[in-house]
Structures are given as structure tokens and as C-alpha cells.
Amino acid sequence: GKIDRIELENFKSYKGHQVIGPFFDFTAIIGPNGSGKSNLMDAISFVLGVRTSQLRGGQLKDLIYAFDDREKEQGGRRASVKLVYRLENGTELLFTRIITGAGGSEYMIDDRVVNWDDYNARLKSLGILVKARNFLVFQGDVESIASKTPRELTVLLEQIC
Amino acid sequence: GKIDRIELENFKSYKGHQVIGPFFDFTAIIGPNGSGKSNLMDAISFVLGVRTSQLRGGQLKDLIYAFDDREKEQGGRRASVKLVYRLENGTELLFTRIITGAGGSEYMIDDRVVNWDDYNARLKSLGILVKARNFLVFQGDVESIASKTPRELTVLLEQIC
Amino acid sequence: RLTRFMEALEHISGNIDKIYKQLTKSSRHPLGGSAYLNLENEEEPFLHGIKYSAMPPTKRFRDMEQLSGGEKTVAALALLFSIHSYKPSPFFILDEVDAALDNLNVAKVAGFIRSKSNGLQSIVISLKDTFYHKAEAMVGVYKDFQTGCSRTLTFDLTKFEES
Amino acid sequence: RLTRFMEALEHISGNIDKIYKQLTKSSRHPLGGSAYLNLENEEEPFLHGIKYSAMPPTKRFRDMEQLSGGEKTVAALALLFSIHSYKPSPFFILDEVDAALDNLNVAKVAGFIRSKSNGLQSIVISLKDTFYHKAEAMVGVYKDFQTGCSRTLTFDLTKFEES
Ligand SMILES: Nc1ncnc2c1ncn2[C@@H]1O[C@H](COP(=O)(O)OP(=O)(O)OP(=O)(O)O)[C@@H](O)[C@H]1O
Ligand SMILES: Nc1ncnc2c1ncn2[C@@H]1O[C@H](COP(=O)(O)OP(=O)(O)OP(=O)(O)O)[C@@H](O)[C@H]1O
Ligand SMILES: [Mg+2]
Ligand SMILES: [Mg+2]
């Protein structure tokens, strides 16, 4: 299977409801500095359940679109990302993660609320190992992969066993 | 004044005696990955007295040209860098730093051996503050300058007072 | 636990040299460089570590610290792709991994990714045009000047002539 | 000691906004962004720190952590150039500082360096051709294939037409 498209709702610099895609087998994302390219990768990482600290955010509410510092402090704002995954047989599987007004997170598969364990288990069944993150390389991380100490390499390998 | 040229002798990937320059007011250094661009910056930093650990070397002898790992272990090899500095009045001032056969460092101004304090004092008189290094940006360091903590910024400022 | 670990290590170190050669071979060096993984201590792999060595075609040093910025990036990508091949996920996302690469290496990495794209979906963020010349689709991101927020446009590049 | 420190801080924070505006202004944002330095604690500057804030033209966030890779690089260069202006050394060496910059920002930074080069010698290592289009001389580094060691060639670009 593969990612068909993602649907953002007030996520980081993406205001309102935006559909991004379709994604092909080899898709390039381009644009000027500060336009929002890494925020797109953050959106995909977020919906897969990657920790907020890895997405350049202190708390979940930092990931919600805000016009300026003042709006950031307002409560009750929401955001969400939906990942539309197309299975080998052509059917669509929907993964959704929501930041609720109270600042927590909610997970849904095909528009049904599920808990994190079921959500993660379903991702694992597709070969998506969020904990190992062996398929995501964030901006600036690539060179440090080659400079890992032998101990760190063992830890990395253990996560994918 | 300004840097006119540098003369290397078995420094890092530069074998034998090589003269590099002349340098103009705005000089660009280009070349493929692994060709030796950063080694040139290391040569200029070395002759100014910057610490070896900042030049991607463990000890001084790592900075001496070697064909392979075996040759690295041989003793008695030497290396040196001479920086030809042109003063406002047109005369040339020569700064030389040598890695001796015994693995130590020797400093010379205009082909006269001097100690580190005199060498550094002469550089300071030209406005070259080696300790503060506020004029050198090594590969990969630029982004971390903007992410310094407030404490680190104070320390940086103190070095140039 | 130990058998699974050794199985993973076996697979990855068998693969890494092949991938590194694919990323480093050129008309001048048709064989490419060499890369391998070694256990620091065969008896207790968990207590010690795994040493990674990569040597570009013209180099003869085993110490990874001596590699240049671009050489390290290529070595890192080889390690990444070979670890990924053990437990492949359906897609890969890379954010400006080509920042330290010269044009020749960018073309080699982009070519490698393109060759893997049947069965593995790749999404690559890049500032260099070499990547989107090899891609099938392009997502252009821009800032909307009225509102200051991000917007995107998607282009299907397969409609244009083969890149 | 304290007076010297405050004098340095005064000079640098007076300068940083001007330099940051020069690096971020464009036809669409003729004013550029804004950047400033603040003491965390006026009474005891040495115990606390100095907070640096930079806001690109379209942005309204004060938190530097939210800046993108390229925006951080531009903010870092503005800080660097303003610190340097307090105790200027006769020359500057920059090693691939443009790695995270898009073409527009590379041109702005190269233009800024070119404008400063009367009185301040700059040596810039870069993989992008925008830099050597603005330079007066170019040092080309290559690996000699027989011996595997580095060699250089120098070109005086002022002999060609003005870039
Ligand atoms: N919650 C938010 N609301 C609005 N804007 C945000 C939010 N979080 C981050 N941003 C903005 O997003 C911008 C960063 O975008 P991003 O990091 O995706 O840029 P980029 O396209 O990757 O740039 P570069 O090429 O420099 O890496 C920042 O300028 C930041 O102010
Ligand atoms: N003492 C030495 N003797 C011989 N070669 C050396 C020595 N020290 C380092 N090298 C070689 O120099 C090369 C690195 O050169 P350098 O870091 O200057 O490359 P670069 O041109 O900056 O590349 P990049 O564009 O990737 O940053 C390495 O391949 C390393 O093997
Ligand atoms: Mg980015
Ligand atoms: Mg380099």
C-alpha cells in the first residue's frame, strides 16, 4: 500500500481545511525557506503517532495553527490530520489524529475512535514501525546517523527486531 | 591587511609543498565532496592556533598527510602551514606553524621561532582574536549559532570584550 | 532476542556494501567504495556495540570521523537504506538530506531512490532541482501573502516527457 | 568588565536589526524582518543570559525554535555579522553556510558579503554556483587521481565580465 493523500485541519502553518496530494511512488516537495515543507512532514509524522517533541513543538497546542503569539494562548482551538492510505487491493484506510479543545489527542481508524494501542497495532500490521522510525529522516538529522557510536547503533538495531 | 596566500606542507589531504592563492577580497572555494575544501579552512585555522579538536583531528599527527592508515602510524613525519599576510602598507608578514617530527607544535613569525604568547599577541594586534573565533564558521555550525541558549550567548559576547 | 538481533545484523551487513557501492560507483570508479558493520564483541553484542565503517572509492582510511560532510551523508544514507531493507515500511520521508551533497552525489542518490520506487513510496523534501527532475509528482509549497499561511499545489510530472 | 560587556551589547543590539533587515528585505517586503537582543536580567547580566529574537517578514512569532531551517540560518548569520562588527577581524571564513538556504536567500547572503568586501576579506566555501557568481576569485579544489591527494587551481574572476 501507499499514502494517497493527507487532509490537514489547522495544523501548524496550514490554516483551515486543506487536502494535500495525491502522492505518487516518488514525490518531491519543494518551496522557499519557511513556506511549510517540514511542517508537511511533521503532519505525516504526527498522524502516525510520533512524539510532539520530535515535531519542533513543546506541547500539542503548539501544533495548532495560530496567526500570532496572542492567538496561541487562546484555549479551545482544535487541529487534526487525516492520512488516506490506499491498500494493495485499492480500498482506502483512513488514519486520523485530532488535538481536542482540551489539548489532548484522539485517534480514529475509518472514522471510528480507537485507543493508541489498537491504532499502533494497525500501523504495525502495515509495516509502519513508529517507535523505530526507520523510515523518517528529519531535517538536519542525516549526518548524525553516520556518526552514531557503536552503542547507539546497537540500540537502533534492537528497535527494529 | 588581508590574507595573500597560504603555503601547505603535507597538511591533511594536501601532499608535499603546495601554494594556494592569491586570495582576493571575496574568494569562493568550490569542488566536489571529499576533495579537500574544509581541509583548506582547517589549514588557515591551524596556522592561527585553533585547537586540533576543532579541526576534526584527535592529535596533531592526524593533521599530517598520510596515504593510508598504516602510514599514519609511522613516526617522524612533519607538516607545516605558512600564512602570508599582506599589511596595509604592502609588506608581507609571515605566520608559520609546524608539526615537528616529535609530534609537537612550533610557531614562527617571519621565519623566526617565537612562543605561543608572542605569536598570539601579534595576531591580536591585527584584530585576529583566535580564542573568540568570531570570524570562523565551520561546516555544519551555522544553524546552532541561532539556537544558542541565553547563557551561551553571554559567554560568546564576553570572549570578544 | 539474541537470535533475532543476530538475524537483523546478518541481513543488514550483507546488504550495506551492495547499497554503498551503488551510491558511490561512477565512471571513474566502477566498483564504488566499501562499507561494513562489525560487532565490537562477538560474545556480548548488547553490552558493546556495532562499528560501522565506510570507505569512499579513493580513500584508504577506516575512521569515519575523517570523512567530509558529503561523504558522511552518503555513508549515512547507505546505512539507513540497508536498515530499512530488513523491515521495510511501505514509504520513506526524507527532509533535505541532500544539503551537504554536491550535484554528482545528489544525482546518484535521486537515481537510487527512483530505482527503488516500485514497492517503496518515497517522499523527498529538497531545495535542489535534481530531485524533482527524477520524481513522478511534485508538491509545491508556498506562503499565501494575504493570510501568511501555507498552501500547496500538486503537479503530475508523468504527463511531461520522461526525465 | 561590566562596562565593557554592556558597551559590546549596546553596539551589537544596535546593529543586529539593521543587518537582519538587509538580509531579509525583498521586493514584496521592502522593510524586511526584525531582530533584537534582550538581557534576561538587567541587574546581573553575567548570571543570566541574553535572549535573541528574530522575526522574518511574514511571521509574528517571537519563539526562535519555531523558525524553519533556512530562517534559522539567516538569523544566525545576522547575529554573526553583528557580533563581528563590534571587534572586526580583517577576514572571515564561512564553510557551506548556505546548505539550508533556498536560491533567493543564497543570493541575498552572497550580495551582502560582496557589499562588505571593501575592508573585510571573505573566504566562502560553497557547493552552489550563486556564491562564485558574486566572488572576485575562485579556488577550485580537486582530487588528483594518481596520488589521491588534494590540489587547487585559482581563477581571477575580475578578468571576466562583471557578475
Ligand atoms: N502553530 C503554528 N501556526 C502558524 N505557523 C506556524 C506554526 N508552527 C510553525 N509555524 C510556522 O511555520 C514556519 C516553518 O515552516 P517549515 O519549517 O515547514 O519551513 P520549511 O519550508 O521547511 O523551510 P526550510 O526550507 O527553511 O527548511 C515557521 O516560520 C513558523 O513560524
Ligand atoms: N591526514 C590526512 N591525510 C590524508 N587525507 C586526509 C587526512 N585527513 C583527512 N583526509 C581526507 O580528506 C578528506 C576530507 O576532505 P574535506 O573534509 O576537506 O572535504 P570537503 O571538500 O570539505 O568535502 P564536502 O563538500 O563533502 O564537505 C577525507 O576524505 C579524508 O580522508
Ligand atoms: Mg524545512
Ligand atoms: Mg567540507
Side-chain angles (χ1 to χ4, degrees):
Chain A
K2 61 173 194 248
I3 299 177
D4 182 69
R5 62 186 185 280
I6 58 172
E7 297 185 13
L8 307 182
E9 180 94 36
N10 283 332
F11 184 82
K12 280 208 162 190
S13 55
Y14 291 85
K15 186 178 174 186
H17 183 77
Q18 298 194 35
V19 179
I20 296 162
F23 291 98
F24 284 54
D25 283 346
F26 185 1
T27 307
I29 299 178
I30 66 166
N33 287 146
S35 53
K37 299 184 298 297
S38 297
N39 288 345
L40 263 189
M41 178 173 182
D42 290 345
I44 298 174
S45 306
F46 165 79
V47 72
L48 297 177
V50 171
R51 290 189 324 285
T52 309
S53 60
Q54 183 69 47
L55 308 178
R56 296 175 296 165
Q59 327 155 16
L60 277 175
K61 72 179 206 335
D62 290 344
L63 303 178
I64 306 172
Y65 172 81
F67 179 74
D68 56 20
D69 277 329
R70 215 166 34 75
E71 195 177 316
K72 251 197 174 168
E73 299 315 320
Q74 284 173 12
R77 289 176 307 126
R78 290 168 60 88
S80 77
V81 177
K82 177 186 290 183
L83 180 105
V84 179
Y85 189 78
R86 187 179 300 290
L87 293 167
E88 299 295 345
N89 61 14
T91 57
E92 289 190 349
L93 184 57
L94 307 177
F95 289 97
T96 310
R97 184 175 174 192
I98 297 164
I99 304 175
T100 63
S105 80
E106 208 172 81
Y107 297 92
M108 296 166 81
I109 295 181
D110 288 333
D111 298 328
R112 256 188 7 269
V113 178
V114 296
N115 65 20
W116 164 247
D117 290 329
D118 292 346
Y119 193 83
N120 191 27
R122 186 74 181 96
L123 289 169
K124 246 188 171 161
S125 73
L126 298 169
I128 300 169
L129 311 173
V130 178
K131 192 158 164 293
R133 294 204 322 259
N134 61 335
F135 58 95
L136 298 171
V137 182
F138 292 94
Q139 192 168 357
D141 282 358
V142 68
E143 255 184 71
S144 59
I145 293 172
S147 314
K148 279 194 189 302
T149 66
R151 268 295 307 132
E152 288 168 349
L153 266 187
T154 309
V155 167
L156 186 65
L157 239 69
E158 276 209 272
Q159 280 179 332
I160 63 163
C161 286
Chain B
K2 61 173 196 272
I3 298 176
D4 183 68
R5 61 186 186 279
I6 59 173
E7 297 185 13
L8 308 182
E9 180 97 36
N10 283 333
F11 184 82
K12 280 204 159 189
S13 54
Y14 292 84
K15 186 177 175 187
H17 184 79
Q18 299 197 32
V19 178
I20 296 161
F23 290 98
F24 284 56
D25 283 345
F26 186 0
T27 307
I29 300 179
I30 65 167
N33 286 147
S35 54
K37 301 185 295 296
S38 297
N39 288 345
L40 262 189
M41 178 172 182
D42 290 345
I44 297 174
S45 306
F46 165 79
V47 74
L48 296 177
V50 171
R51 288 189 323 287
T52 309
S53 60
Q54 183 69 47
L55 310 178
R56 297 174 294 164
Q59 325 154 10
L60 278 176
K61 68 180 217 316
D62 290 343
L63 304 178
I64 306 172
Y65 173 81
F67 178 73
D68 56 19
D69 277 329
R70 237 201 22 263
E71 194 176 316
K72 252 195 170 171
E73 297 316 319
Q74 285 173 12
R77 292 174 308 126
R78 289 167 62 88
S80 77
V81 177
K82 176 186 288 184
L83 181 113
V84 179
Y85 188 78
R86 185 178 300 288
L87 292 167
E88 298 294 350
N89 61 13
T91 58
E92 288 190 351
L93 184 59
L94 308 177
F95 288 97
T96 311
R97 185 177 175 191
I98 298 165
I99 303 175
T100 64
S105 243
E106 207 172 80
Y107 298 90
M108 299 167 83
I109 296 181
D110 289 334
D111 297 329
R112 258 190 6 268
V113 179
V114 296
N115 66 18
W116 164 244
D117 290 328
D118 293 346
Y119 193 83
N120 190 27
R122 186 72 181 99
L123 288 169
K124 242 187 176 161
S125 74
L126 297 170
I128 302 171
L129 310 172
V130 179
K131 194 161 160 293
R133 294 205 320 257
N134 62 333
F135 56 95
L136 299 172
V137 182
F138 292 95
Q139 192 166 356
D141 281 0
V142 68
E143 254 184 68
S144 60
I145 292 172
S147 314
K148 280 195 189 299
T149 65
R151 271 299 299 135
E152 287 170 345
L153 265 185
T154 310
V155 167
L156 186 67
L157 239 65
E158 277 211 88
Q159 283 182 330
I160 65 165
C161 287
Chain C
R1 185 176 161 219
L2 186 63
T3 39
R4 268 215 313 275
F5 181 79
M6 296 306 280
E7 195 189 299
L9 185 61
E10 205 73 59
H11 176 93
I12 293 167
S13 49
N15 225 346
I16 193 157
D17 193 53
K18 212 172 63 210
I19 292 178
Y20 188 67
K21 284 191 175 11
Q22 256 178 299
L23 289 175
T24 52
K25 69 176 189 293
S26 64
S27 54
R28 221 192 273 275
H29 302 286
L31 291 176
S34 64
Y36 43 90
L37 294 170
N38 281 335
L39 272 175
E40 291 202 314
N41 178 326
E42 305 277 330
E43 319 311 321
E44 332 226 41
F46 294 116
L47 287 179
H48 299 272
I50 302 168
K51 183 133 182 62
Y52 177 39
S53 307
M55 285 155 69
T58 56
K59 305 287 182 322
R60 294 158 297 277
F61 294 103
R62 243 178 296 297
D63 185 358
M64 292 280 281
E65 276 319 302
Q66 292 295 343
L67 293 182
S68 78
E71 293 171 332
K72 260 193 194 153
T73 296
V74 173
L77 289 173
L79 179 65
L80 208 79
F81 290 132
S82 59
I83 288 178
H84 181 266
S85 72
Y86 177 63
K87 272 259 171 72
S89 71
F91 56 85
F92 225 104
I93 308 177
L94 304 173
D95 192 351
E96 295 192 27
V97 292
D98 57 350
L101 298 181
D102 60 25
N103 290 339
L104 196 68
N105 279 321
V106 174
K108 281 187 203 167
V109 170
F112 178 81
I113 289 172
R114 178 80 200 233
S115 72
K116 290 269 174 262
S117 58
N118 53 349
L120 167 67
Q121 183 182 30
S122 300
I123 297 174
V124 177
I125 299 172
S126 171
L127 296 171
K128 302 185 179 179
D129 49 8
T130 316
F131 263 109
Y132 56 83
H133 284 162
K134 298 238 189 253
E136 295 169 326
M138 191 162 88
V139 174
V141 182
Y142 63 96
K143 269 270 152 113
D144 178 327
F145 279 98
Q146 266 74 32
T147 61
C149 77
S150 298
R151 293 220 175 276
T152 63
L153 289 168
T154 306
F155 302 95
D156 177 350
L157 297 174
T158 54
K159 295 215 178 82
F160 303 102
E161 76 291 54
E162 182 46 34
S163 57
Chain D
R1 185 178 161 213
L2 184 62
T3 37
R4 269 216 311 272
F5 180 79
M6 294 308 279
E7 194 191 298
L9 185 61
E10 205 73 61
H11 175 94
I12 293 167
S13 49
N15 225 345
I16 193 155
D17 192 55
K18 215 173 59 209
I19 293 178
Y20 189 67
K21 284 193 178 2
Q22 257 180 300
L23 289 175
T24 52
K25 69 173 189 297
S26 65
S27 53
R28 226 192 275 271
H29 303 283
L31 291 175
S34 64
Y36 44 90
L37 295 171
N38 280 336
L39 272 175
E40 291 201 319
N41 178 324
E42 305 277 330
E43 319 311 319
E44 334 223 35
F46 293 118
L47 288 180
H48 299 270
I50 304 167
K51 184 139 182 57
Y52 176 38
S53 306
M55 283 155 68
T58 53
K59 303 287 167 12
R60 295 159 297 279
F61 294 102
R62 242 178 293 297
D63 184 0
M64 292 279 281
E65 278 318 302
Q66 290 295 344
L67 292 183
S68 78
E71 291 170 332
K72 262 194 189 152
T73 294
V74 173
L77 289 173
L79 180 63
L80 207 77
F81 290 132
S82 59
I83 288 179
H84 181 266
S85 73
Y86 177 64
K87 276 262 169 84
S89 71
F91 57 85
F92 225 110
I93 309 178
L94 304 172
D95 192 350
E96 297 192 26
V97 293
D98 56 349
L101 298 180
D102 61 24
N103 290 338
L104 195 68
N105 279 322
V106 174
K108 281 185 201 166
V109 170
F112 179 82
I113 290 173
R114 176 81 200 226
S115 72
K116 290 271 172 248
S117 57
N118 54 349
L120 166 67
Q121 183 183 29
S122 299
I123 299 174
V124 177
I125 299 173
S126 172
L127 296 172
K128 301 187 178 177
D129 49 11
T130 317
F131 263 108
Y132 55 82
H133 283 165
K134 297 240 190 263
E136 294 167 320
M138 193 163 88
V139 174
V141 183
Y142 63 96
K143 274 263 160 162
D144 177 331
F145 278 97
Q146 266 75 33
T147 62
C149 77
S150 299
R151 294 220 174 275
T152 62
L153 289 169
T154 307
F155 302 97
D156 176 349
L157 297 174
T158 54
K159 297 220 174 84
F160 304 99
E161 78 292 46
E162 182 48 35
S163 56

